[in-house]
Amino acid sequence: MRRVSHMIAVLALSFGSGLAPGPALACGVCVALPEYSLADRLLSARVIVLAAPAQDNPFKYTSVSVLKGTPEQVTALPEIPFLVDSVTRSAFRADPDRTVLMIYGAGYRDKAGRSLSNGWSKGFLMTAERAQFVETLRAQGEGWASGATDRAARVDYFDDYLTHEDRMLRNAALIEIHRAPYTLVSHLTDAMPTEQLLQEMRNPNRLAYAPTYIRLLGLRSDTKAKEFVRQRYQRVVRNGGLNLYDWGLAGIEVDGALAVSGIEKALAQADRPAEEKQILIRVLAESGTAHPELQPQILDIYKRELENGSALAIWIALAVKAWNTTVLNPAFEAVLTSEAVDPATLFLIRITLEGGEPG
């Protein structure tokens, strides 16, 4: 039972974390956005310093200013391991007073917030605007650390940087919008200009940010953006492909109930891969949470899916958990009588029927 409970907890965390699933099809040139962002590193850091080339070695960094921690802590840490590259050396030659942000703290964290090790990570070459960004982020972000619930404030903070002239700051904002639960970003109507979004999507070097661009296009109010989304989401929902989750969300933003009906048709395709159907179930859940007026239609779709079999039952149970509805209870009870249902699905459905929390 403990193993089943752990599995449910992982599924619930994955479903509700606000992170988009990976591409439905493999892509040899795609680069995934980091789950552990710049803001995470800054806010969880043990030590933050500004570094410059050492006087006795222009290829080696040394701390020149401490933003977080104490000089004694810096001295006790391992040396900064990064070399001063040619681009950064050029910047230092142009302005010897420039510095590079260095962060000592946890590296990559898993979905449970655990880190395998501590170490130095390189931030960026500092400018006056980046210094202000770091200062305000640290001041406002005290409530955003691991386990915090005020994620809406985090989205609002980074929203202001989506059109910033500094690409590094734009990238930081795009990653945060990508990671946030969709219901917290669905109000960002016209956050970025359509022409800028389309230009970025045509740039092969910006492919990693495509999921965020697609969602923001779906939230645009102008006709050009809507037509662009409409031409593409229908094909991807019908045939599958990259960024299925994001095109599904954008399509529902543009076409509402019509797009929801299109997703139901896609779910009915007998040869549709199971992982794509799971993504479509999540698209409906996220859109229904952001737009409660769509929930009755979505619940009807879930009901029909449950009547057709139990393959998607665990994902549907996760989807409606936050909606606090009993509409699907008869369908869930019918699933419980099936001999083909796995233990994890049975467990989660029972929890759903009882109104408890998985874990």
Side-chain angles (χ1 to χ4, degrees):
M1 179 61 70
R2 179 177 298 177
R3 183 178 179 182
V4 172
S5 299
H6 177 71
M7 182 186 302
I8 297 301
V10 171
L11 287 171
L13 182 59
S14 300
F15 199 93
S17 66
L19 298 176
L25 301 176
C27 174
V29 297
C30 293
V31 180
L33 293 177
E35 292 187 4
Y36 195 56
S37 69
L38 171 63
D40 292 326
R41 289 190 288 137
L42 285 169
L43 295 174
S44 66
R46 289 173 53 190
V47 171
I48 303 173
V49 303
L50 298 180
Q55 291 185 354
D56 59 346
N57 185 347
F59 299 97
K60 178 182 176 181
Y61 282 107
T62 187
S63 170
V64 297
S65 178
V66 181
L67 300 184
K68 181 178 181 180
T70 65
E72 291 75 19
Q73 285 178 301
V74 175
T75 301
L77 293 176
E79 292 186 348
I80 298 172
F82 310 109
L83 296 177
V84 183
D85 58 65
S86 59
V87 173
T88 309
R89 285 200 303 273
S90 297
F92 284 129
R93 283 195 296 268
D95 181 0
D97 293 328
R98 296 199 71 174
T99 56
V100 173
L101 188 79
M102 296 289 180
I103 305 164
Y104 188 88
Y108 169 78
R109 290 179 183 265
D110 62 19
K111 291 183 182 295
R114 297 169 299 193
S115 174
L116 298 179
S117 63
N118 288 307
W120 285 105
S121 62
K122 187 176 180 182
F124 40 75
L125 193 67
M126 293 294 281
T127 65
E129 289 185 319
R130 292 177 182 182
Q132 181 64 37
F133 167 81
V134 173
E135 181 180 351
T136 56
L137 173 67
R138 292 183 59 212
Q140 297 187 30
E142 292 182 357
W144 310 340
S146 178
T149 57
D150 192 11
R151 301 185 71 177
R154 185 168 179 150
V155 169
D156 289 342
Y157 175 80
F158 281 97
D159 175 25
D160 293 336
Y161 288 94
L162 283 171
T163 54
H164 200 281
E165 61 183 10
D166 186 330
R167 174 169 284 191
M168 191 283 298
L169 298 180
R170 288 205 310 274
N171 290 349
L174 288 165
I175 290 170
E176 294 293 334
I177 299 304
H178 169 80
R179 299 182 341 143
Y182 186 67
T183 186
L184 296 182
V185 302
S186 59
H187 68 285
L188 298 180
T189 305
D190 300 336
M192 289 181 69
T194 297
E195 287 301 329
Q196 182 181 358
L197 288 167
L198 295 179
Q199 181 179 2
E200 292 281 83
M201 287 192 67
R202 290 191 290 265
N203 185 346
N205 296 321
R206 306 290 287 169
L207 284 177
Y209 298 93
T212 314
Y213 296 144
I214 293 167
R215 292 180 220 177
L216 292 174
L217 275 170
L219 295 169
R220 291 285 305 171
S221 62
D222 61 289
T223 302
K224 184 173 184 178
K226 291 182 181 297
E227 286 305 313
F228 184 89
V229 170
R230 189 171 285 120
Q231 291 171 11
R232 285 157 180 79
Y233 94 80
Q234 293 175 343
R235 182 177 68 249
V236 175
V237 167
R238 183 173 60 250
N239 300 325
L242 296 176
N243 302 313
L244 172 61
Y245 170 77
D246 310 286
W247 283 119
L249 290 175
I252 292 176
E253 290 292 343
V254 169
D255 279 342
L258 180 63
V260 171
S261 296
I263 289 177
E264 180 176 21
K265 292 178 181 178
L267 286 168
Q269 296 172 1
D271 59 346
R272 197 74 188 242
E275 60 269 24
E276 290 192 359
K277 289 188 176 183
Q278 293 165 10
I279 291 172
L280 293 174
I281 290 295
R282 181 165 178 246
V283 167
L284 294 176
E286 298 281 7
S287 295
T289 299
H291 302 286
E293 70 276 9
L294 295 175
Q295 288 183 16
Q297 181 184 6
I298 294 170
L299 288 169
D300 283 343
I301 294 172
Y302 286 164
K303 179 175 179 292
R304 287 189 283 272
E305 287 297 323
L306 291 171
E307 289 172 347
N308 290 333
S310 62
L312 297 174
I314 192 168
W315 301 99
I316 293 173
L318 284 167
V320 301
K321 195 92 179 82
W323 292 0
N324 194 28
T325 177
T326 60
V327 170
L328 296 181
N329 282 12
F332 281 135
E333 289 168 354
V335 170
L336 290 177
T337 65
S338 172
E339 296 181 357
V341 181
D342 62 271
T345 300
L346 288 173
F347 180 79
L348 183 58
I349 289 177
R350 289 194 181 105
I351 291 293
T352 301
L353 291 171
E354 293 168 5
E357 292 292 336

